[in-house]
Amino acid sequence: MPAPSGSLSDAVTERLREAIITGELAPGAKLSEPELSQRLGIGRGSLREALQRLEGMRLVERRPRVGARVAGLGRRELVELYTVREALESMACRLAADLMSADEIADIRRLLVGDAADLDARMSAASDREGLRDFHFRIVQGSGNHELELMMNDLSHRVRRYRYRSRQIPGHLSRGLRDHHRILDAIEARDGELAEMLMRRHIRAECISVEAAMGDGVQSDGGGA
């Protein structure tokens, strides 16, 4: 782990968050403050602040007499997260079909073209950062519903842990990209009902793919390690 730069606690939080999302820090791994402090070249105070933030994101768990560990991945959490995603993102599609401007739709179309050109790179990238360029996030933004956007932001880090693990499934990214085009076509046609249905199907299929990719690595009870 290279030492982070910039605002120290922010940089440490981001570095550890990405390590957790990509599996560099495995589910259930113990987070030793002395070891991490030495590896990152930072003081214990900044590290504790970062761990507290990650605990708030539910990426880190603290247990009596055990200390801080990377939160586990669980089948129940997977299904529950994707059930919430399905409800919120399908609603976002329906709202976006009414509210999203032609310029916003064209911008997302350019994003999808770029994703297609960058498919191989996304398969081999060490991290798939899903910020402002992410299709799903842009649709939620296009819904015009601020509360919906806040709820999706709260879920985003845990969702990314599961999404990341499906990237190595042959054909997964290309199938997802085709789904994205169909959803955007429905939004552009102002067919909110169709866009909502297509997003529901897309997220259900992704949940099945993620669960298959995790295999025995997903705990049956959805709890921590």
Side-chain angles (χ1 to χ4, degrees), residues 46-59:
S46 296
L47 178 60
R48 284 184 186 132
E49 183 178 348
L51 291 176
Q52 286 172 354
R53 292 182 183 180
L54 294 167
E55 189 176 4
M57 297 174 194
R58 296 173 65 181
L59 297 177

Side-chain angles (χ1 to χ4, degrees), residues 9-104:
S9 59
D10 290 345
V12 173
T13 301
E14 181 180 354
R15 177 67 186 90
L16 292 176
R17 183 181 64 220
E18 291 303 308
I20 291 169
I21 287 169
T22 61
E24 180 185 345
L25 289 172
K30 184 176 180 180
L31 299 172
S32 166
E33 289 188 13
E35 180 183 343
L36 285 173
S37 178
Q38 184 175 14
R39 288 172 67 187
L40 292 168
I42 60 170
R44 298 279 285 275
S46 296
L47 178 60
R48 284 184 186 132
E49 183 178 348
L51 291 176
Q52 286 172 354
R53 292 182 183 180
L54 294 167
E55 189 176 4
M57 297 174 194
R58 296 173 65 181
L59 297 177
V60 166
E61 299 173 336
R62 291 184 184 273
R63 295 185 178 182
R65 299 182 298 278
V66 175
R69 291 184 180 271
V70 175
L73 294 171
R75 183 167 282 106
R76 186 175 69 183
E77 181 184 55
L78 166 65
V79 172
E80 289 181 352
L81 280 174
Y82 272 73
T83 298
V84 173
R85 276 192 68 200
E86 182 183 326
L88 295 180
E89 293 192 42
S90 62
M91 178 172 65
C93 281
R94 179 163 43 83
L95 295 172
D98 289 333
L99 297 174
M100 192 175 281
S101 70
D103 286 344
E104 288 175 307

